[in-house]
Amino acid sequence: MRTKGDCDAFLAEFAPYLTRIDTFHAGMLALLCGSTVERGGDLSIPFEHTMNLLVHQLRLVKALAERNESFSPEDTFRRYAEEVRAEKALPLTIPAAMTMLCRDKERRKQWQQRTDVVELVTGLEQAGLIPYYLERVFTLLDDKELLILDPTNRRAFLTRLIGVQNVMYHCYALLQDAILQYVGPGYLNAAPTDPQAVRYAKNDHLTPADYQAARELSDYQRFNFTYPGGLFFPGSAPFEEVPTLGGMPFLIIEPKRMHFQWDPANMYPVLHEALQARIEIVRELSHEELAERNFLSFFHN
């Protein structure tokens, strides 16, 4: 398969078999499909087949674990052959699914709406039956909006999160850099962000040497991230705990009053080389818009 056409022809011929053959050999084929996508093949061809295989295998693994029976490996296979095949093949299917999910935001968002699948993945991760990174991909923050209020300067910014892991430390690392890039250096007396920390948070064409260096990398907040009545908003919190007003998640930024830092490699490790994260400043809101949303009450007189 030397050309994209060769890759696409291979995927078109073999991807349908992912849901037609036994789960073990399907896992081997899924890995080949994932490798072909990485070589330039059109991921839209094997995507649904790969995801349907993944869910099927996950359900079989869950069913096998729930039996909680003590048999020899031979007896277990005789009784539950397809479940055992799924368990052994899952480490082959997961990388294939990851390489496709991490390359296509819109398809990823569609599968994030499958609450049954998200609950299945989360439960298996908590039980230690699948690697953590699959669950993190299923819970990425894609096209989530977050309103940032600056009472000191009476400004507000509507932001959009893309490929951000569901831990606020990751959001902070990207958000503070996006704000400082938009407004300019020294905003709210903030120190400049660390380019290497930002590059790691974005997963911006990192090399093996960058991964190694990230083990010693640390970052810290440049603003005080808070909410009404709170001293700060915890960096370990998930996005769903961000307070809302009128249905809009929002945080307040103020000049830094306290110091907390984090280790990026521990808080939001790189999930896949193809997945890049960013936070965009969609626009700055006018005072008229803020008044309509009842946000002006948070501003200083």
Side-chain angles (χ1 to χ4, degrees):
M1 292 180 289
R2 296 184 178 181
T3 68
K4 184 180 184 305
D6 293 335
C7 291
D8 290 350
F10 172 85
L11 293 172
E13 180 176 359
F14 289 103
Y17 288 100
L18 290 171
T19 51
R20 297 178 186 173
I21 59 179
D22 72 84
T23 54
F24 181 77
H25 289 95
M28 297 175 67
L29 182 56
L31 189 62
L32 286 174
C33 289
S35 299
T36 303
V37 168
E38 290 185 340
R39 289 197 292 268
D42 184 350
L43 69 84
S44 69
I45 300 172
F47 182 79
E48 291 298 328
H49 298 292
T50 303
M51 296 304 298
N52 289 331
L53 170 65
L54 174 70
V55 173
H56 179 57
Q57 290 177 335
L58 291 173
R59 287 173 174 159
L60 288 173
V61 167
K62 182 175 184 288
L64 184 62
E66 287 177 343
R67 294 184 186 280
N68 195 28
E69 298 173 338
S70 297
F71 297 110
S72 68
E74 294 80 8
D75 285 341
T76 301
F77 184 74
R78 277 193 289 269
R79 291 169 180 263
Y80 311 114
E82 196 65 359
E83 287 86 345
V84 173
R85 290 189 183 101
E87 182 181 52
K88 300 304 181 184
L90 194 56
L92 305 176
T93 306
I94 287 176
M98 288 282 294
T99 200
M100 298 176 200
L101 287 165
C102 291
R103 282 176 163 81
D104 194 312
K105 180 190 68 171
E106 295 305 320
R107 287 185 169 85
R108 186 166 70 233
K109 284 167 56 180
Q110 291 173 7
W111 277 83
Q112 288 168 350
Q113 299 302 311
R114 287 280 303 273
T115 55
D116 61 323
V117 176
V118 175
E119 290 173 359
L120 175 64
V121 170
T122 301
L124 291 173
E125 191 278 330
Q126 291 174 347
L129 296 174
I130 60 172
Y132 76 91
Y133 47 80
L134 181 62
E135 187 270 342
R136 288 219 172 179
V137 166
F138 270 94
T139 56
L140 285 172
L141 305 171
D142 282 309
D143 288 336
K144 299 292 185 183
E145 292 187 337
L146 176 63
L147 185 62
I148 304 300
L149 301 176
D150 168 16
T152 303
N153 295 294
R154 300 176 65 83
R155 299 178 72 172
F157 312 96
L158 181 63
T159 70
R160 179 183 295 120
L161 286 58
I162 299 172
V164 179
Q165 296 182 43
N166 193 21
V167 56
M168 290 304 292
Y169 283 121
H170 197 201
C171 180
Y172 296 159
L174 296 163
L175 178 61
Q176 59 194 15
D177 183 68
I179 292 173
L180 289 171
Q181 292 291 336
Y182 178 84
V183 180
Y187 189 63
L188 292 173
N189 301 319
T193 53
D194 179 353
Q196 187 57 34
V198 173
R199 184 165 167 252
Y200 179 86
K202 291 181 176 180
N203 190 24
D204 185 10
H205 300 91
L206 300 179
T207 66
D210 294 322
Y211 296 135
Q212 183 69 27
R215 297 179 181 179
E216 307 298 325
L217 189 64
S218 65
D219 202 3
Y220 66 94
Q221 101 285 4
R222 267 61 175 186
F223 306 119
N224 208 52
F225 296 99
T226 186
Y227 58 98
L231 293 176
F232 67 96
F233 191 80
S236 57
F239 184 78
E240 53 263 29
E241 292 183 12
V242 174
T244 62
L245 186 63
M248 171 67 72
F250 77 100
L251 285 178
I252 295 171
I253 56 171
E254 300 172 331
K256 179 178 161 184
R257 292 183 293 171
M258 57 187 302
H259 183 84
F260 63 90
Q261 64 184 48
W262 57 85
D263 297 327
N266 291 331
M267 296 300 113
Y268 39 89
V270 173
L271 303 180
H272 193 280
E273 63 180 8
L275 178 66
Q276 295 191 2
R278 67 184 187 275
I279 292 183
E280 303 171 345
I281 305 290
V282 177
R283 60 191 176 88
E284 185 168 353
L285 273 66
S286 67
H287 278 217
E288 290 75 18
E289 290 178 283
L290 293 170
E292 291 175 2
R293 294 173 179 261
N294 297 318
F295 279 116
L296 288 179
S297 60
F298 297 113
F299 287 0
H300 301 154
N301 294 325

